[in-house]
Amino acid sequence: MHMLNIGHLVETLARFTYAINGEHVETYAELRPAYIKAVNTLRPAYLPAALDRITIGYEDSEWVDHCKQNDIFPHIVGPASPSDGPTREEWDREVLAALGLIEEIHPGLRQLVDQLVTDIVVLNSGADGGGSANQMPGVVMMSPGSTWQTLDCAMCIVHEALHTGLFVLDSVYPMFVLPPSELEKDEHRALSAVKIGERRPLHAALHAAAVAVPLMFMEYSQGERVLVDQYTASLRDACEDMQTKRDLFTPYGRLLLDEMTVWVQDEPLNFFQIGEGITSEEFSGYRPAA
């Protein structure tokens, strides 16, 4: 699938950074610095991304203050309680272990994270989940549940990294013929693969379907099936429902939707195909728009 392919991401990131910075990326080593420069123009000036690392923050992070002031993720930042030194040390270890597990599951997924994620803010809010937003690209908010294991943290990081990746892809190759404000109308809503049974704005439904795929792949790779069993039917239903709104997708958006629709029809699901597709040249390019 193009949406998970690291070659396609690299190509698209180069176009994205050129559009913002006005500078061509000549080598792969220049891509992350170019991305940092680009997203720093989109983020608040007092909250720049670090060039050479993923910054780990907590409830006293300036990002939390920013979210509170702008009503972003109130269900995560609002109830966040203070954390002590030992708790933060444990969170740090868990984030590093999660990044290591992502590398173990698939180096391409780790590349996705390393290219796109700039900050991980860990909170104890009881929300048991994460969040990312287009107006703060690169930032992952994470509220681990009390029963979370390393795999849960790893899936949360990949989940939010792919949301950021989809934002970049949609910026370079628009996926819809209507703006988000129009897609939020009732007649343009579609079933969510994650919030099962709920109808969401079409762009949100596409995001939900897309992020379900790597989560299922990661869990399957570790010999577990909770999300695989939970999301298989709902992902099929979501793709079928979005296909009925095909006229609202651009050719690029249809490409992403069709690739998911074809894959999820297999019985059993072909997770080997997902793993191969992350680095396959088959999905690494897309024609430039005239």
Side-chain angles (χ1 to χ4, degrees), residues 62-189:
E62 288 186 291
W63 278 115
V64 173
D65 291 337
H66 176 77
C67 288
K68 288 179 178 178
Q69 292 168 12
N70 293 277
D71 197 31
I72 302 171
F73 306 129
H75 67 294
I76 297 177
V77 300
S81 60
S83 57
D84 56 20
T87 299
R88 294 184 177 190
E89 290 174 5
E90 179 58 31
W91 282 343
D92 288 355
R93 285 192 292 269
E94 196 60 46
V95 167
L96 292 176
L99 292 172
L101 181 58
I102 294 168
E103 173 81 22
E104 179 184 319
I105 291 173
H106 200 298
L109 291 179
R110 178 62 188 270
Q111 254 184 298
L112 175 84
V113 170
D114 287 345
Q115 285 294 344
L116 296 172
V117 176
T118 62
D119 302 79
I120 298 176
V121 181
V122 191
L123 306 167
N124 181 25
S125 68
D128 295 7
S132 55
N134 292 353
Q135 63 266 51
M136 37 195 276
V139 180
V140 172
M141 311 294 288
M142 184 164 67
S143 176
S146 59
T147 62
W148 276 27
Q149 303 296 317
T150 301
L151 177 60
D152 299 292
C153 292
M155 290 193 297
C156 179
I157 294 170
V158 169
H159 175 150
E160 303 305 341
L162 183 55
H163 275 306
T164 301
L166 290 167
F167 160 65
V168 170
L169 297 178
D170 193 32
S171 298
V172 178
Y173 309 116
M175 300 175 188
F176 300 98
V177 298
L178 296 176
S181 58
E182 287 293 315
L183 296 175
E184 290 175 1
K185 293 181 177 179
D186 287 345
E187 63 266 30
H188 299 328
R189 290 178 173 252

Side-chain angles (χ1 to χ4, degrees), residues 25-42:
V25 174
E26 300 291 343
T27 68
Y28 180 73
E30 295 174 347
L31 188 58
R32 167 78 177 191
Y35 170 72
I36 296 300
K37 182 178 179 180
V39 298
N40 279 345
T41 69
L42 304 176

Side-chain angles (χ1 to χ4, degrees), residues 3 11 29 50 63 65 67-68 71 85 91 108 126 144-145 155 178 195 207 228 245 251 254 273 276 281:
M3 68 186 188
E11 177 190 84
W63 278 115
D65 291 337
C67 288
K68 288 179 178 178
D71 197 31
W91 282 343
M155 290 193 297
L178 296 176
K195 296 183 178 181
H207 269 244
V228 175
K245 306 176 188 302
R254 292 173 195 161
Q273 183 182 19
E276 286 286 293
E281 290 187 10

